[in-house]
Each structure stands twice: as C-alpha cells, then as structure tokens.
mmCIF file of all heavy atoms in Angstrom:
data_model
loop_
_atom_site.group_PDB
_atom_site.id
_atom_site.type_symbol
_atom_site.label_atom_id
_atom_site.label_comp_id
_atom_site.label_asym_id
_atom_site.label_seq_id
_atom_site.Cartn_x
_atom_site.Cartn_y
_atom_site.Cartn_z
ATOM 1 N N GLU A 1 0.827 -1.211 0.000
ATOM 2 C CA GLU A 1 0.000 0.000 0.000
ATOM 3 C C GLU A 1 0.863 1.263 0.000
ATOM 4 O O GLU A 1 0.543 2.243 -0.681
ATOM 5 C CB GLU A 1 -0.931 0.002 1.213
ATOM 6 C CG GLU A 1 -2.046 -1.030 1.159
ATOM 7 C CD GLU A 1 -1.555 -2.441 1.446
ATOM 8 O OE1 GLU A 1 -0.409 -2.565 1.955
ATOM 9 O OE2 GLU A 1 -2.293 -3.400 1.159
ATOM 10 N N LYS A 2 1.950 1.241 0.765
ATOM 11 C CA LYS A 2 2.849 2.401 0.807
ATOM 12 C C LYS A 2 3.530 2.592 -0.541
ATOM 13 O O LYS A 2 3.664 3.729 -1.022
ATOM 14 C CB LYS A 2 3.895 2.188 1.913
ATOM 15 C CG LYS A 2 4.840 3.368 2.104
ATOM 16 C CD LYS A 2 4.109 4.601 2.599
ATOM 17 C CE LYS A 2 5.078 5.730 2.895
ATOM 18 N NZ LYS A 2 4.385 6.942 3.401
ATOM 19 N N LEU A 3 3.962 1.507 -1.166
ATOM 20 C CA LEU A 3 4.591 1.612 -2.472
ATOM 21 C C LEU A 3 3.618 2.132 -3.520
ATOM 22 O O LEU A 3 3.980 2.952 -4.382
ATOM 23 C CB LEU A 3 5.143 0.247 -2.898
ATOM 24 C CG LEU A 3 6.336 -0.283 -2.101
ATOM 25 C CD1 LEU A 3 6.697 -1.692 -2.548
ATOM 26 C CD2 LEU A 3 7.550 0.623 -2.251
ATOM 27 N N LYS A 4 2.387 1.661 -3.458
ATOM 28 C CA LYS A 4 1.386 2.144 -4.415
ATOM 29 C C LYS A 4 1.103 3.624 -4.225
ATOM 30 O O LYS A 4 0.930 4.376 -5.191
ATOM 31 C CB LYS A 4 0.102 1.334 -4.246
ATOM 32 C CG LYS A 4 -0.949 1.655 -5.286
ATOM 33 C CD LYS A 4 -2.157 0.743 -5.132
ATOM 34 C CE LYS A 4 -3.195 1.036 -6.210
ATOM 35 N NZ LYS A 4 -4.387 0.149 -6.084
ATOM 36 N N GLU A 5 1.083 4.064 -2.967
ATOM 37 C CA GLU A 5 0.842 5.486 -2.684
ATOM 38 C C GLU A 5 1.952 6.371 -3.247
ATOM 39 O O GLU A 5 1.686 7.454 -3.776
ATOM 40 C CB GLU A 5 0.728 5.678 -1.172
ATOM 41 C CG GLU A 5 0.522 7.117 -0.741
ATOM 42 C CD GLU A 5 0.556 7.269 0.771
ATOM 43 O OE1 GLU A 5 0.553 6.245 1.481
ATOM 44 O OE2 GLU A 5 0.608 8.427 1.235
ATOM 45 N N VAL A 6 3.194 5.908 -3.148
ATOM 46 C CA VAL A 6 4.333 6.717 -3.599
ATOM 47 C C VAL A 6 4.486 6.664 -5.115
ATOM 48 O O VAL A 6 4.620 7.705 -5.780
ATOM 49 C CB VAL A 6 5.624 6.228 -2.906
ATOM 50 C CG1 VAL A 6 6.838 6.952 -3.488
ATOM 51 C CG2 VAL A 6 5.540 6.457 -1.405
ATOM 52 N N PHE A 7 4.453 5.467 -5.697
ATOM 53 C CA PHE A 7 4.782 5.322 -7.118
ATOM 54 C C PHE A 7 3.598 5.594 -8.038
ATOM 55 O O PHE A 7 3.780 5.707 -9.250
ATOM 56 C CB PHE A 7 5.337 3.923 -7.378
ATOM 57 C CG PHE A 7 6.764 3.753 -6.931
ATOM 58 C CD1 PHE A 7 7.051 3.320 -5.653
ATOM 59 C CD2 PHE A 7 7.807 4.062 -7.790
ATOM 60 C CE1 PHE A 7 8.368 3.178 -5.235
ATOM 61 C CE2 PHE A 7 9.126 3.922 -7.388
ATOM 62 C CZ PHE A 7 9.409 3.486 -6.101
ATOM 63 N N SER A 8 2.404 5.720 -7.509
ATOM 64 C CA SER A 8 1.270 6.080 -8.356
ATOM 65 C C SER A 8 1.308 7.550 -8.767
ATOM 66 O O SER A 8 0.529 7.964 -9.638
ATOM 67 C CB SER A 8 -0.042 5.779 -7.623
ATOM 68 O OG SER A 8 -0.108 6.507 -6.403
ATOM 69 N N ARG A 9 2.208 8.334 -8.156
ATOM 70 C CA ARG A 9 2.358 9.740 -8.559
ATOM 71 C C ARG A 9 2.879 9.862 -9.990
ATOM 72 O O ARG A 9 2.607 10.851 -10.675
ATOM 73 C CB ARG A 9 3.319 10.470 -7.621
ATOM 74 C CG ARG A 9 2.982 10.357 -6.139
ATOM 75 C CD ARG A 9 4.116 10.926 -5.308
ATOM 76 N NE ARG A 9 3.930 10.700 -3.871
ATOM 77 C CZ ARG A 9 4.878 10.929 -2.964
ATOM 78 N NH1 ARG A 9 6.063 11.406 -3.350
ATOM 79 N NH2 ARG A 9 4.627 10.690 -1.691
ATOM 80 N N TYR A 10 3.622 8.876 -10.440
ATOM 81 C CA TYR A 10 4.274 8.972 -11.740
ATOM 82 C C TYR A 10 3.436 8.386 -12.868
ATOM 83 O O TYR A 10 3.763 8.580 -14.035
ATOM 84 C CB TYR A 10 5.622 8.245 -11.689
ATOM 85 C CG TYR A 10 6.489 8.682 -10.527
ATOM 86 C CD1 TYR A 10 6.670 7.861 -9.420
ATOM 87 C CD2 TYR A 10 7.096 9.928 -10.536
ATOM 88 C CE1 TYR A 10 7.451 8.264 -8.354
ATOM 89 C CE2 TYR A 10 7.881 10.354 -9.474
ATOM 90 C CZ TYR A 10 8.052 9.506 -8.388
ATOM 91 O OH TYR A 10 8.819 9.921 -7.325
ATOM 92 N N GLY A 11 2.372 7.667 -12.546
ATOM 93 C CA GLY A 11 1.508 7.103 -13.581
ATOM 94 C C GLY A 11 0.704 5.932 -13.045
ATOM 95 O O GLY A 11 0.800 5.560 -11.870
ATOM 96 N N ASP A 12 -0.103 5.370 -13.928
ATOM 97 C CA ASP A 12 -0.972 4.258 -13.544
ATOM 98 C C ASP A 12 -0.165 2.979 -13.393
ATOM 99 O O ASP A 12 0.637 2.621 -14.274
ATOM 100 C CB ASP A 12 -2.065 4.060 -14.600
ATOM 101 C CG ASP A 12 -2.995 5.262 -14.679
ATOM 102 O OD1 ASP A 12 -3.125 5.968 -13.658
ATOM 103 O OD2 ASP A 12 -3.565 5.506 -15.761
ATOM 104 N N ILE A 13 -0.392 2.298 -12.274
ATOM 105 C CA ILE A 13 0.337 1.064 -11.963
ATOM 106 C C ILE A 13 -0.541 -0.133 -12.316
ATOM 107 O O ILE A 13 -1.736 -0.174 -11.978
ATOM 108 C CB ILE A 13 0.720 1.023 -10.473
ATOM 109 C CG1 ILE A 13 1.694 2.164 -10.155
ATOM 110 C CG2 ILE A 13 1.356 -0.317 -10.118
ATOM 111 C CD1 ILE A 13 2.048 2.275 -8.681
ATOM 112 N N ARG A 14 0.080 -1.094 -12.973
ATOM 113 C CA ARG A 14 -0.637 -2.316 -13.320
ATOM 114 C C ARG A 14 -0.494 -3.386 -12.251
ATOM 115 O O ARG A 14 -1.456 -4.096 -11.933
ATOM 116 C CB ARG A 14 -0.125 -2.846 -14.666
ATOM 117 C CG ARG A 14 -0.807 -4.118 -15.140
ATOM 118 C CD ARG A 14 -0.306 -4.494 -16.518
ATOM 119 N NE ARG A 14 -0.702 -3.470 -17.496
ATOM 120 C CZ ARG A 14 -0.259 -3.431 -18.755
ATOM 121 N NH1 ARG A 14 0.617 -4.339 -19.165
ATOM 122 N NH2 ARG A 14 -0.657 -2.485 -19.574
ATOM 123 N N LYS A 15 0.737 -3.492 -11.667
ATOM 124 C CA LYS A 15 0.961 -4.554 -10.690
ATOM 125 C C LYS A 15 2.141 -4.199 -9.801
ATOM 126 O O LYS A 15 3.125 -3.617 -10.256
ATOM 127 C CB LYS A 15 1.225 -5.880 -11.418
ATOM 128 C CG LYS A 15 1.381 -7.080 -10.491
ATOM 129 C CD LYS A 15 1.632 -8.342 -11.309
ATOM 130 C CE LYS A 15 1.814 -9.544 -10.398
ATOM 131 N NZ LYS A 15 2.082 -10.786 -11.169
ATOM 132 N N ILE A 16 2.048 -4.560 -8.524
ATOM 133 C CA ILE A 16 3.151 -4.402 -7.565
ATOM 134 C C ILE A 16 3.424 -5.766 -6.939
ATOM 135 O O ILE A 16 2.508 -6.420 -6.423
ATOM 136 C CB ILE A 16 2.805 -3.378 -6.463
ATOM 137 C CG1 ILE A 16 2.645 -1.987 -7.057
ATOM 138 C CG2 ILE A 16 3.900 -3.367 -5.394
ATOM 139 C CD1 ILE A 16 2.289 -0.919 -6.051
ATOM 140 N N ARG A 17 4.690 -6.174 -6.988
ATOM 141 C CA ARG A 17 5.077 -7.462 -6.390
ATOM 142 C C ARG A 17 6.190 -7.223 -5.383
ATOM 143 O O ARG A 17 7.334 -6.993 -5.747
ATOM 144 C CB ARG A 17 5.544 -8.433 -7.475
ATOM 145 C CG ARG A 17 5.946 -9.802 -6.924
ATOM 146 C CD ARG A 17 6.083 -10.817 -8.051
ATOM 147 N NE ARG A 17 7.140 -10.452 -8.983
ATOM 148 C CZ ARG A 17 8.395 -10.917 -8.894
ATOM 149 N NH1 ARG A 17 8.739 -11.738 -7.910
ATOM 150 N NH2 ARG A 17 9.291 -10.546 -9.782
ATOM 151 N N LEU A 18 5.832 -7.244 -4.109
ATOM 152 C CA LEU A 18 6.802 -7.111 -3.023
ATOM 153 C C LEU A 18 7.313 -8.507 -2.664
ATOM 154 O O LEU A 18 6.536 -9.377 -2.270
ATOM 155 C CB LEU A 18 6.161 -6.456 -1.799
ATOM 156 C CG LEU A 18 7.055 -6.254 -0.572
ATOM 157 C CD1 LEU A 18 8.207 -5.307 -0.893
ATOM 158 C CD2 LEU A 18 6.234 -5.730 0.598
ATOM 159 N N VAL A 19 8.603 -8.732 -2.834
ATOM 160 C CA VAL A 19 9.183 -10.060 -2.638
ATOM 161 C C VAL A 19 9.254 -10.350 -1.152
ATOM 162 O O VAL A 19 9.804 -9.563 -0.374
ATOM 163 C CB VAL A 19 10.579 -10.143 -3.285
ATOM 164 C CG1 VAL A 19 11.181 -11.531 -3.078
ATOM 165 C CG2 VAL A 19 10.495 -9.817 -4.764
ATOM 166 N N ARG A 20 8.695 -11.510 -0.761
ATOM 167 C CA ARG A 20 8.652 -11.908 0.641
ATOM 168 C C ARG A 20 9.278 -13.286 0.820
ATOM 169 O O ARG A 20 9.374 -14.073 -0.129
ATOM 170 C CB ARG A 20 7.195 -11.934 1.154
ATOM 171 C CG ARG A 20 6.521 -10.572 1.145
ATOM 172 C CD ARG A 20 5.095 -10.671 1.626
ATOM 173 N NE ARG A 20 4.434 -9.367 1.682
ATOM 174 C CZ ARG A 20 4.500 -8.545 2.715
ATOM 175 N NH1 ARG A 20 5.176 -8.891 3.802
ATOM 176 N NH2 ARG A 20 3.883 -7.367 2.685
ATOM 177 N N ASP A 21 9.697 -13.560 2.035
ATOM 178 C CA ASP A 21 10.253 -14.872 2.360
ATOM 179 C C ASP A 21 9.141 -15.920 2.343
ATOM 180 O O ASP A 21 8.041 -15.684 2.860
ATOM 181 C CB ASP A 21 10.920 -14.826 3.737
ATOM 182 C CG ASP A 21 11.693 -16.089 4.033
ATOM 183 O OD1 ASP A 21 12.885 -16.144 3.716
ATOM 184 O OD2 ASP A 21 11.083 -17.030 4.607
ATOM 185 N N LEU A 22 9.427 -17.084 1.740
ATOM 186 C CA LEU A 22 8.402 -18.118 1.601
ATOM 187 C C LEU A 22 8.005 -18.725 2.937
ATOM 188 O O LEU A 22 6.865 -19.164 3.118
ATOM 189 C CB LEU A 22 8.903 -19.225 0.664
ATOM 190 C CG LEU A 22 9.119 -18.816 -0.795
ATOM 191 C CD1 LEU A 22 9.718 -19.967 -1.577
ATOM 192 C CD2 LEU A 22 7.813 -18.350 -1.430
ATOM 193 N N VAL A 23 8.934 -18.751 3.896
ATOM 194 C CA VAL A 23 8.665 -19.382 5.187
ATOM 195 C C VAL A 23 8.048 -18.392 6.173
ATOM 196 O O VAL A 23 6.974 -18.637 6.743
ATOM 197 C CB VAL A 23 9.964 -19.991 5.768
ATOM 198 C CG1 VAL A 23 9.689 -20.616 7.132
ATOM 199 C CG2 VAL A 23 10.542 -21.010 4.804
ATOM 200 N N THR A 24 8.704 -17.266 6.385
ATOM 201 C CA THR A 24 8.252 -16.297 7.400
ATOM 202 C C THR A 24 7.213 -15.313 6.866
ATOM 203 O O THR A 24 6.418 -14.780 7.632
ATOM 204 C CB THR A 24 9.452 -15.509 7.946
ATOM 205 O OG1 THR A 24 10.064 -14.773 6.873
ATOM 206 C CG2 THR A 24 10.482 -16.457 8.541
ATOM 207 N N GLY A 25 7.258 -15.049 5.555
ATOM 208 C CA GLY A 25 6.339 -14.067 4.989
ATOM 209 C C GLY A 25 6.792 -12.639 5.141
ATOM 210 O O GLY A 25 6.089 -11.701 4.726
#
C-alpha cells in the first residue's frame, strides 16, 4: 500500500510485487 501510494504519482500502476520470504512471509 505504501509503495502504491508513492509510485502512483508517476503514472498508472498495473501490478506491484513485493518479494517476501516463503517461510516467514
């Protein structure tokens, strides 16, 4: 949500993928 708030200033975003650890999340 924070990334979408910041980077949506530059244009329309299609997808955001925040890389997370498979075990801990």
